[in-house]
Amino acid sequence: MIEIREVKKKDLELLANIYSVIYLNVPAKEDMSYEDSFSYLEYFYKHQPDLFLCAIEDNIPVGAVMSILRPCANGLYLSDTEVFVIEDYRNKNLGLKLLSKQFEIADAKYNVNYSKTLCYKTDNNWYEKAGYSVQNDIVVLKCNIQKFLENNV
């Protein structure tokens, strides 16, 4: 039976391994090593541990959801929401269960209005099925700081 609970410090190593393996299969031009994955997940763990949840089976993490609270004009919202589940547990509604539990906590504890996320185009179908909508008026921009400084300073 799968249990959904807050991530514990000891879970970070296994979750980082899962995250880095999943990241190998996305169309990113960036390398997300185990160390990078651990640092990334640790950030969420330190800044919003009550909204960093994992799915556990036989004492082993098989997926997680994480977000950061941010203020906006209409109150708080969940930012950078991300759901990841190992392949053997996909298509079993585990991602939706993780997201539902996180939303219940966020609504009850913080009266959160909505959640925003960024994802690769190959993943947006899952997020749309989960209730997210594509905002066509927003463009994600990325800037290489070193190149910027080389060209503009």
Side-chain angles (χ1 to χ4, degrees):
M1 177 142 187
I2 295 178
E3 171 195 7
I4 296 177
R5 63 160 170 77
E6 285 185 23
V7 167
K8 298 176 182 174
K9 181 95 170 145
K10 68 178 184 166
D11 300 323
L12 290 177
E13 289 181 15
L14 286 173
L15 288 171
N17 188 52
I18 294 168
Y19 192 84
S20 63
V21 169
I22 290 172
Y23 208 90
L24 291 173
N25 297 316
V26 298
K29 300 215 184 318
E30 302 169 44
D31 211 7
M32 191 67 139
S33 66
Y34 167 82
E35 292 78 13
D36 294 334
S37 296
F38 187 89
S39 294
Y40 184 67
L41 298 180
E42 189 176 43
Y43 175 86
F44 283 88
Y45 178 77
K46 287 180 178 178
H47 289 86
Q48 203 69 56
D50 59 333
L51 296 176
F52 192 176
L53 307 175
C54 62
I56 301 289
E57 185 169 67
D58 298 326
N59 294 317
I60 298 172
V62 295
V65 61
M66 55 198 177
S67 296
I68 298 290
L69 280 175
R70 294 195 186 215
C72 66
N74 299 321
L76 294 172
Y77 74 97
L78 297 177
S79 178
D80 302 320
T81 300
E82 196 164 347
V83 180
F84 61 98
V85 175
I86 62 173
E87 195 157 347
D88 291 346
Y89 288 81
R90 292 183 193 164
N91 301 314
K92 297 179 181 182
N93 289 326
L94 184 54
L96 291 176
K97 289 176 184 172
L98 283 160
L99 206 55
S100 294
K101 183 68 174 172
Q102 186 196 56
F103 285 3
E104 287 172 7
I105 293 168
D107 183 48
K109 195 170 182 179
Y110 302 107
N111 195 29
V112 169
N113 294 316
Y114 57 91
S115 171
K116 286 186 178 182
T117 191
L118 299 174
C119 69
Y120 295 101
K121 289 182 180 181
T122 55
D123 295 331
N124 74 334
N125 285 340
W126 185 89
Y127 283 98
E128 286 182 70
K129 287 177 186 174
Y132 286 80
S133 59
V134 175
Q135 291 186 263
N136 293 324
D137 57 336
I138 294 176
V139 176
V140 176
L141 303 171
K142 181 178 174 180
C143 180
N144 181 306
I145 293 172
Q146 287 75 28
K147 285 183 182 179
F148 175 89
L149 292 173
E150 288 171 11
N151 296 325
N152 294 294
V153 176

